[in-house]
Amino acid sequence: MADSDIEQLCRHFDLPLRVEGVTGALAATGTTGTVGIAAPADEIECFSPIDGRRLGRVPATTPADYEATMRRAVEAAHRWADVPAPRRGELVRLIAEALRQNLNQLAQLIALENGKLIGEARGEVQEMIDIADFAVGQARMLYGRTMHSERTQHRLYEQWHPLGVVGIITAFNFPVAVWSWNAFIATICGNVCVWKPSPKTPLCSLAVQRLCRQVLEQQQAPAVFQLVLDPGTRLVRALIEDRRAALISFTGSTAVGRQVAQTVAARLGRALLELGGNGAIIVDDSADLELATRAIVFGALGTAGQRCTTTRRVLVTRSRLDELRARLVHAYRQARIGDPRDPDTLVGPVIDQNAVRNFEQALAAARALGAEVLVGGRVLPRPGHYVEPAIVLARNDWDIVQRETFAPILYLIPVDSLEQAIELQNQTPYGLSSGLFTRRLDAAELYLSHRGSDCGIANVNLGTSGAEIGGAFGGEKDTGGGREAGSDAWKAYMRRQTNTINWGSTLPLAQGIEFKVPP
Ligand code: UN1
């Protein structure tokens, strides 16, 4: 990795990256490996999974900064709520313009810090632009309903008001797009966003924050985007417990999400959860195997198996097992593993050594149960965090298959019928994303009926990952039940108010109640 690339990106986004032994100038002289000297509590260490090297340190938010940030957020929220929604949309439109202008540089930074393929990194920025465009239109469509009152000369309707301050906690795997689904919709709804990104990807969040701040300054808008960089859990805990944050939107593991939900519920706040997944693709006896193979490979290898929508299980009818298996193994053997910025690479690194360990442990657990590893499974002896994606012939009821391992492991599971496949697909604690490959109308309809997939996302002749922003995104059961991005997900960021206006000169009571107040 050329130091000049990093230096250029730091200059472009004005990133406060401090490099050891170098004062003033930006030059990446970090050491290899992820185990370095611990950064002071007020700094976050930045790494690149591409070669595992420490890039430098950025300042973290201190508890005093946190308090100031929340005060600023509350103050900005009062002013922002006064701005008409279409004008709030105009601000997001300008941010979308800034993202368009900086698409390449931001994608490079994502690839550098997160390790996803440059094409996927560009897709991530495009996803931000898409949701921004969506939000601009939505800003003119924050519709409430009008009902017919049961009382004469009464008007009954509902309207939507901003919540105030919204806390957005995001994961490393979509270091900027998931923030934007929440933030752009929350912003047009009249809220102020306090963002707590993953400490594994602070540079991406700083870059986006800089772009947004430039637009805010040009427009002299209130400070509607705030950032809290927390190397540990102290400030994120403060944010979750903070009554000033009316809504906490959390993306991350189910284990942490459960704690977030309980803490927020204890103060009767609102939580919007987008947690783990255990995506499955069903391949029935009529399926187009070429199409299915392509979707499975993208779903399993994309973002090195670190999406919540990643395809982790394939439930294939026995009559098609051998052919599908051969196609998948062939595709895996061709897939080039390496630097995610090289356009020929199909599998980039996983995020860190911890992810590599999880990969190894999951495979060891599967092997111990008698699983056959059909392809891959090695950790590559080179700088960075590279593994060979694996396909494992497995059983659905194995504990390891039921769990979400954030790494490129695909479990191939033979089934006897579509009904059995649906049953097994739903037999996991998660309920995010699912897909069926079939040419049969009755199979497709069954799969999409209430007796079919129990996931928030169910696709036909399409894989589990790569959802468009236009639909509501999220899932059931241990996935947390939240819905973000398109459709009517905006309602999560507003409070509903029901209004009744009596424009007559009598006071009829609802339900026909007679209540004679003595004169
Ligand atoms: C995630 O992994 O947290 O559908 C989000 C997809 C992407 C979003 C994934 N649009 O795979």
Side-chain angles (χ1 to χ4, degrees):
M1 192 188 329
D3 288 351
S4 58
D5 293 352
I6 304 162
E7 198 176 325
Q8 231 176 355
L9 288 171
C10 285
R11 284 196 201 291
H12 183 83
F13 290 111
D14 189 23
L15 299 175
L17 187 71
R18 206 165 63 78
V19 178
E20 250 143 89
V22 181
T23 36
L26 286 161
T29 54
T31 55
T32 11
T34 49
V35 191
I37 314 138
D42 55 358
E43 286 189 321
I44 296 183
E45 287 191 292
C46 307
F47 296 96
S48 173
I50 296 176
D51 55 10
R53 145 167 97 149
R54 191 160 65 210
L55 303 172
R57 296 168 177 181
V58 291
T61 307
T62 63
D65 293 340
Y66 171 80
E67 195 41 43
T69 299
M70 289 307 282
R71 286 221 186 101
R72 260 199 315 274
V74 169
E75 191 270 328
H78 287 305
R79 293 205 288 137
W80 189 235
D82 281 341
V83 174
R87 280 190 41 214
R88 303 196 292 243
E90 171 64 7
L91 183 88
V92 174
R93 191 186 69 76
L94 294 169
I95 291 173
E97 286 304 304
L99 287 168
R100 283 183 168 91
Q101 280 157 21
N102 290 273
L103 194 153
N104 283 329
Q105 293 89 341
L106 190 53
Q108 275 172 36
L109 189 65
I110 295 169
L112 175 78
E113 199 181 32
N114 163 288
K116 66 174 68 178
L117 303 183
I118 187 70
E120 289 186 284
R122 291 175 63 89
E124 172 152 8
V125 185
Q126 186 59 47
E127 197 160 336
M128 300 178 84
I129 295 167
D130 293 345
I131 193 69
D133 288 355
F134 181 95
V136 176
Q138 187 67 60
R140 292 181 181 271
M141 296 185 289
L142 302 174
Y143 299 140
R145 295 188 213 215
T146 303
M147 299 85 177
H148 283 261
S149 171
E150 61 190 61
R151 287 171 280 184
T152 185
Q153 296 177 320
H154 278 55
R155 184 154 77 87
L156 174 61
Y157 69 102
E158 56 187 28
Q159 55 175 337
W160 296 86
H161 294 308
L163 289 176
V165 176
V166 171
I168 303 171
I169 302 166
T170 56
F172 78 87
N173 65 333
F174 275 80
V176 287
V178 171
W179 170 78
S180 71
W181 299 348
N182 284 280
F184 294 161
I185 300 291
T187 301
I188 59 105
C189 290
N191 303 297
V192 166
C193 304
V194 177
W195 181 12
K196 208 301 287 178
S198 163
K200 293 175 186 172
T201 51
L203 295 176
C204 291
S205 56
L206 280 162
V208 166
Q209 185 74 4
R210 289 268 193 263
L211 290 182
C212 291
R213 197 154 280 181
Q214 271 167 15
V215 175
L216 292 180
E217 276 164 16
Q218 278 157 15
Q219 298 304 306
Q220 296 177 344
V224 295
F225 300 114
Q226 299 289 336
L227 187 65
V228 170
L229 288 178
D230 184 6
T233 55
R234 184 175 176 184
L235 297 182
V236 72
R237 217 174 269 277
L239 178 62
I240 292 161
E241 287 171 359
D242 202 322
R243 293 181 73 91
R244 290 170 293 188
L247 169 71
I248 297 289
S249 170
F250 175 83
T251 305
S253 72
T254 296
V256 178
R258 215 181 288 281
Q259 288 172 23
V260 171
Q262 285 169 10
T263 308
V264 175
R267 63 172 171 91
L268 300 182
R270 291 196 200 180
L272 179 54
L273 304 173
E274 206 255 278
L275 312 176
N278 192 350
I281 289 181
I282 298 176
V283 178
D284 86 352
D285 48 8
S286 71
D288 177 335
L289 288 193
E290 205 210 310
L291 220 60
T293 303
R294 274 199 264 154
I296 294 166
V297 173
F298 173 66
L301 301 190
T303 321
Q306 300 169 109
R307 293 191 189 209
C308 53
T309 54
T310 290
T311 307
R312 307 204 178 278
R313 296 174 296 149
V314 171
L315 299 152
V316 55
T317 188
R318 279 182 208 282
S319 63
R320 312 300 297 281
L321 174 64
D322 288 348
E323 193 189 342
L324 184 68
R325 167 185 168 153
R327 281 176 183 267
L328 289 173
V329 168
H330 175 76
Y332 268 54
R333 291 219 166 101
Q334 310 302 309
R336 271 185 56 175
I337 304 167
D339 190 320
R341 295 164 304 174
D342 178 343
D344 290 332
T345 298
L346 217 59
V347 186
V350 290
I351 190 73
D352 55 18
Q353 275 311 308
N354 207 22
V356 173
R357 256 192 308 278
N358 289 342
F359 173 83
E360 286 181 296
Q361 281 169 4
L363 286 177
R367 280 198 180 100
L369 289 161
E372 190 187 340
V373 178
L374 303 176
V375 65
R378 281 191 317 142
V379 174
L380 298 184
R382 63 168 88 154
H385 316 300
Y386 295 89
V387 299
E388 258 178 13
I391 303 179
V392 178
L393 202 56
R395 281 179 56 109
N396 194 66
D397 57 4
W398 287 346
D399 188 46
I400 193 65
V401 176
Q402 291 287 312
R403 269 192 260 148
E404 179 190 46
T405 304
F406 238 46
I409 302 175
L410 181 68
Y411 299 108
L412 192 60
I413 302 161
V415 293
D416 296 316
S417 65
L418 176 63
E419 287 74 11
Q420 189 200 11
I422 292 173
E423 197 185 319
L424 296 186
Q425 183 214 277
N426 294 343
Q427 254 173 32
T428 83
Y430 303 101
L432 179 57
S433 186
S434 58
L436 163 69
F437 279 80
T438 186
R439 285 191 177 105
R440 286 170 29 204
L441 180 66
D442 58 338
E445 289 293 337
L446 171 67
Y447 182 71
L448 301 178
S449 77
H450 64 279
R451 288 196 278 133
S453 170
D454 67 358
C455 293
I457 297 168
N459 300 326
V460 172
N461 292 331
L462 212 71
T464 56
S465 68
E468 302 176 16
I469 55 89
F473 184 93
E476 308 301 337
K477 303 192 296 190
D478 275 7
T479 300
R483 290 297 186 279
E484 295 172 352
S487 185
D488 64 352
W490 62 271
K491 290 178 178 172
Y493 306 88
M494 302 200 85
R495 62 183 171 88
R496 185 198 309 239
Q497 186 174 66
T498 303
N499 307 113
T500 312
I501 299 172
N502 173 8
W503 55 274
S505 51
T506 58
L507 193 75
L509 299 178
Q511 296 89 42
I513 292 173
E514 290 286 341
F515 192 83
K516 291 204 173 68
V517 180

